[in-house]
Amino acid sequence: MNCGHYGSLTEDAPGGKSKIENPKSKMMQLASEISESFHIAWAQILANKMRSTLTMLGVIIGIIAVTLMGTAINGIQSGFDRSMSLLGDDVLYISKFPWGPNDDYYAFRNRPNIKTVYADEINRIIAASPNSALELAVPAPVNFPTISYGGRQVTSVYTVGTTGDFARTSTTETVKGRFMTEQESLSGASVCIIGLDIANALFPSEDPIDKVITVGDRRFRVIGVFAKQGSFLGLFSFDKQVMVTLGSFLKYFTVDEDADIRVKVKDKSLMAPATEELTGIMRRIRKTMPEAKEDFSINEQKAFRSTLDPIKAGIAIAGIFITGLSLFVGAIGIMNITYVSVKERTREIGTRKALGARRRSILLQFLIEAVSICLAGGLIGLGFSFALFLLLTLALPSFPIQFSMGLTLVALAASVVTGIVSGFMPAWSASRLDPIVALRYE
C-alpha cells in the first residue's frame, strides 16, 4: 500500500508499532515546539536579568560597531560622490598641475601657465571638427581676494573669472537672481554671482541681489546667489566662492598660476577619446614637438577616484575587522553562558527527555534562547546606534552621515547569525544528553 499521499511511517509509537503522521500535523507540531521554546527562552532570560544583560553586552557593542562603522562608510561614500558630482563627470580640466599626488612638483611648477585665450582657440578647433567629442571650452582663472560689504568682510575668497558658458559645464544653479550673460562677460561688466556662505556672511538680514560689494579693491554688483553645493572632500567649500565676468577679472586681478580651462565633453561615455583629442589640440596650441612630453595636464574626477578608492577600501576592511572582532567576542560570551545554562538545567533536560521530549525540542529550546539574547542585544544596540547617529548629526551637520534601513537589516541579521553560531554547540550537547545520566546529575 502506498502511504506517501497520506503521510510518512515513523517508529515513535509505543510498543514499536508504526503509525502514520500527516505532514500538516508535523508542521503544526514543529510550530508548537518553536512557540514553546520561545516561551521557555524568554522565561529564562527574564529569570536571569543580570546575566542576560551582561551576555547581551558583547552583542550590543558589536551591533553599535557594525552600524556606526557602516554609517561612517556610507557617509564617506555619499560625501565623496557628492564632491565628484561638483566636478562633473563629463568635464575635463586643463591645468598646470596634475590632480592627485605630485612626485615631481618642481617640474610641474616650471611649466608655462595656462592662458585664458586657449579656450577661444580650443572652441575654434572644436567648431571646425564636426566629429569632435568635445562640446565647448570655458576659461576659469582664479584669485583669492578679500570680499567686503559695509562693515563685514570675508578673506581669501575663491574668485573665478569666467563667461556665460560656464553654466553649461556645471551643475551649479542660482537660488536667487541669475547667472551672467555672454554679453556681460564680453563687455567686462562689473557684475558677480556669490556663493551661499558669502551671501550669509555679508547679508545676514537683507537680500543681496543688486547690492554692490567690494572684491579686492573693485566694486561689483551682485546679480545672483548660487544654491548650496557643500564642500569638496571636506577641504574646500564651493559655497565660499565668487564668480565675476572674465573681462573684469583680467582687468583687475592677477591670474593665479593654477588657473584652468574647463572643457565639456558631449557624452560622458566618450571621456577617453575626448581626453586624447584634447591632448592633441593642446599640443597643437602649445606647438609641442612630437617627441616632447606635454607641458600641461588634463584632469578629470577619475584621478581623485583612483587616489581615494584604496583609502576607502582600507577604511572598509578596518571596519569589518573591528566589527567582526566585536561580534566574535560577543559570540564567545554567549556560548559560555549557554554552556553554563545547560549545566544548570541538566536535571530539567533529563526530566523533559524522560517525559518524551525529542532531541529537536531540546535543541530548539537552547538555540532559540541564544538567538533571543542576540536579537534583544541587536535591538538595544540599534537603539543606542540611532541615538548616537542623531547626536552626530547635530554635532556635525556638514558631515554626510547616513543611517539606512539596509544597514539596520544587516545588523539584525548579524545578531541572529551570532546567536545561531554561538548557541548551536551548547544546544547540540544539551539535546544529546542521556536522560538517565541527566536525572542523576547533581
Side-chain angles (χ1 to χ4, degrees):
M1 176 179 178
N2 185 5
C3 297
H5 179 72
Y6 298 97
S8 59
L9 290 174
T10 66
E11 298 296 333
D12 292 335
K17 294 181 180 180
S18 299
K19 69 175 183 179
I20 298 176
E21 287 190 5
N22 189 286
K24 186 175 180 180
S25 66
K26 291 177 67 177
M27 292 298 296
M28 291 178 64
Q29 184 180 8
L30 178 61
S32 176
E33 289 178 2
I34 293 174
S35 176
E36 182 183 5
S37 297
F38 267 110
H39 285 299
I40 295 173
W42 281 105
Q44 287 296 322
I45 292 172
L46 294 175
N48 300 278
K49 295 184 180 66
M50 180 58 70
R51 186 170 72 182
S52 300
T53 301
L54 293 176
T55 306
M56 291 177 192
L57 192 59
V59 178
I60 292 171
I61 294 172
I63 294 303
I64 291 174
V66 168
T67 51
L68 290 185
M69 187 61 67
T71 297
I73 292 172
N74 287 343
I76 291 171
Q77 182 64 52
S78 175
F80 179 76
D81 290 340
R82 188 177 67 184
S83 294
M84 292 300 102
S85 69
L86 294 174
L87 294 178
D89 56 3
D90 60 350
V91 179
L92 298 172
Y93 293 77
I94 305 172
S95 306
K96 187 174 183 177
F97 291 88
W99 291 352
N102 292 330
D103 297 329
D104 197 354
Y105 170 80
Y106 293 101
F108 296 134
R109 187 188 66 174
N110 292 330
R111 286 175 168 180
N113 290 343
I114 302 297
K115 299 178 181 179
T116 57
V117 295
Y118 292 167
D120 293 332
E121 297 182 49
I122 293 170
N123 284 328
R124 281 196 294 270
I125 295 173
I126 292 174
S129 306
N131 296 324
S132 174
L134 308 173
E135 186 172 328
L136 81 156
V138 178
V142 177
N143 202 277
F144 296 89
T146 296
I147 312 295
S148 61
Y149 174 78
R152 305 182 186 91
Q153 69 175 23
V154 183
T155 59
S156 301
V157 176
Y158 186 85
T159 302
V160 182
T162 189
T163 68
D165 284 334
F166 184 89
R168 295 170 60 188
T169 69
S170 172
T171 58
T172 305
E173 297 180 351
T174 53
V175 69
K176 289 183 180 180
R178 61 178 177 82
F179 198 69
M180 69 182 72
T181 65
E182 195 64 24
Q183 183 60 38
E184 286 171 332
S185 176
L186 291 174
S187 64
S190 295
V191 296
C192 67
I193 304 93
I194 61 178
L196 196 59
D197 287 352
I198 302 297
N200 292 335
L202 299 183
F203 306 97
S205 58
E206 55 184 314
D207 190 346
I209 301 301
D210 288 331
K211 299 295 191 301
V212 177
I213 64 174
T214 302
V215 182
D217 56 358
R218 299 292 174 176
R219 293 163 65 83
F220 287 81
R221 180 170 60 91
V222 179
I223 61 170
V225 177
F226 288 121
K228 185 172 181 59
Q229 301 175 75
S231 63
F232 180 74
L233 301 178
L235 303 174
F236 164 77
S237 175
F238 280 95
D239 296 320
K240 188 182 176 182
Q241 67 171 326
V242 171
M243 284 194 184
V244 301
T245 60
L246 180 63
S248 62
F249 186 98
L250 297 177
K251 188 188 302 182
Y252 300 133
F253 301 106
T254 301
V255 179
D256 197 279
E257 66 175 6
D258 63 351
D260 58 27
I261 295 175
R262 298 168 64 108
V263 183
K264 183 173 177 59
V265 180
K266 289 180 179 178
D267 190 320
K268 62 183 179 182
S269 64
L270 301 175
M271 292 298 283
T275 301
E276 293 181 7
E277 180 184 350
L278 186 57
T279 300
I281 292 174
M282 279 301 296
R283 289 180 67 91
R284 174 179 167 185
I285 292 172
R286 292 267 204 173
K287 297 181 172 58
T288 306
M289 299 300 291
E291 68 278 3
K293 290 184 178 181
E294 289 85 14
D295 55 0
F296 56 88
S297 293
I298 296 179
N299 299 304
E300 58 176 305
Q301 60 168 259
K302 185 171 67 175
F304 282 111
R305 290 189 181 276
S306 61
T307 301
L308 295 178
D309 279 349
I311 298 175
K312 291 191 298 177
I315 294 173
I317 291 171
I320 291 171
F321 176 77
I322 293 170
T323 55
L325 186 62
S326 300
L327 288 174
F328 177 74
V329 172
I332 294 297
I334 291 170
M335 186 178 294
N336 286 333
I337 294 300
T338 307
Y339 268 122
V340 170
S341 181
V342 169
K343 286 293 183 183
E344 288 179 347
R345 292 149 64 188
T346 300
R347 287 180 63 84
E348 174 195 329
I349 295 168
T351 301
R352 291 191 65 196
K353 297 192 76 171
L355 293 175
R358 299 181 179 185
R359 289 178 179 175
R360 181 180 68 191
S361 301
I362 305 298
L363 177 68
L364 280 174
Q365 176 187 335
F366 285 94
L367 192 58
I368 287 175
E369 188 172 328
V371 171
S372 298
I373 289 175
C374 286
L375 191 57
L379 292 172
I380 295 171
L382 283 174
F384 279 115
S385 297
F386 189 70
L388 290 172
F389 162 74
L390 293 178
L391 289 175
L392 287 173
T393 302
L394 294 174
L396 301 171
S398 61
F399 189 80
I401 304 174
Q402 290 186 340
F403 195 89
S404 66
M405 181 57 68
L407 192 59
T408 302
L409 295 176
V410 168
L412 288 176
S415 64
V416 171
V417 170
T418 301
I420 293 173
V421 171
S422 59
F424 183 79
M425 286 305 297
W428 178 257
S429 66
S431 70
R432 304 292 293 181
L433 284 174
D434 187 314
I436 297 175
V437 175
L439 286 170
R440 292 175 178 173
Y441 182 79
E442 295 294 338

